[in-house]
Amino acid sequence: MFYSVREYRGRKGEPKGIGWRDLRDLLVRAHIQLGGPIVLVWDNLRMHLVEAMRRFIADHADWLTVFQLPSYSPHLNPQEGIWSLIKRDIGNLAAADLGQITRAVKRRLKQIQYRPDLVDGCLTSTGLRMDD
């Protein structure tokens, strides 16, 4: 499981979220670290559909395969299960500031990352499966 977290503090010129270039860079880092092909299951987030991202995917079809989910299908999206685990863990957090929330989310993502059974459970709950 690879992830990226960004805080938005409302500063002038600061991006509000992760853009397609950030996603591209995350995919490249994951590919280098894994040393093999990547299969993505994507929802219809606008960033996933921009032309530059489509070109990147087409240019790297030798190691990158993307399956696009139908519109509004959270039951098929494994990431929904991951976020459910995170929300359950930090749901009662009385954070003093945004940084504390960010640290809690990153800590939980790191814990999940090292528990492949949790990641597999989120994938299995969608009806999708990985063949060994």
Side-chain angles (χ1 to χ4, degrees):
M1 183 177 84
F2 292 85
Y3 60 87
S4 181
V5 177
R6 172 173 286 157
E7 286 182 6
Y8 175 64
R9 297 184 177 273
R11 296 181 182 129
K12 185 176 181 178
E14 177 185 23
K16 291 184 179 181
I18 295 171
W20 78 268
R21 287 178 188 89
D22 301 310
L23 181 58
R24 173 200 62 201
D25 295 347
L26 180 66
L27 289 170
V28 169
R29 287 192 307 271
H31 174 63
I32 290 168
Q33 186 172 345
L34 292 171
I38 294 177
V39 177
L40 292 174
V41 178
W42 266 357
D43 57 14
N44 288 306
L45 185 66
R46 185 177 302 148
M47 169 183 41
H48 298 161
L49 305 173
V50 298
E51 182 58 33
M53 193 73 224
R54 289 178 192 256
R55 277 194 312 272
F56 173 78
I57 292 165
D59 291 346
H60 296 90
D62 57 320
W63 60 266
L64 183 59
T65 303
V66 176
F67 291 99
Q68 195 77 36
L69 293 173
S71 294
Y72 193 74
S73 52
H75 60 287
L76 296 175
N77 193 338
Q79 122 182 332
E80 296 294 333
I82 299 294
W83 283 116
S84 176
L85 292 170
I86 292 167
K87 290 175 189 175
R88 187 175 350 159
D89 190 53
I90 68 168
N92 291 323
L93 176 67
D97 58 19
L98 179 60
Q100 189 176 5
I101 296 170
T102 302
R103 286 188 299 279
V105 168
K106 284 181 177 181
R107 183 173 46 253
R108 188 63 178 130
L109 282 167
K110 181 67 88 179
Q111 290 169 344
I112 293 168
Q113 188 177 32
Y114 289 100
R115 293 276 312 274
D117 57 309
L118 292 178
V119 176
D120 289 346
C122 292
L123 185 63
T124 301
S125 71
T126 66
L128 303 172
R129 62 186 199 111
M130 291 180 40
D131 293 327
D132 293 326

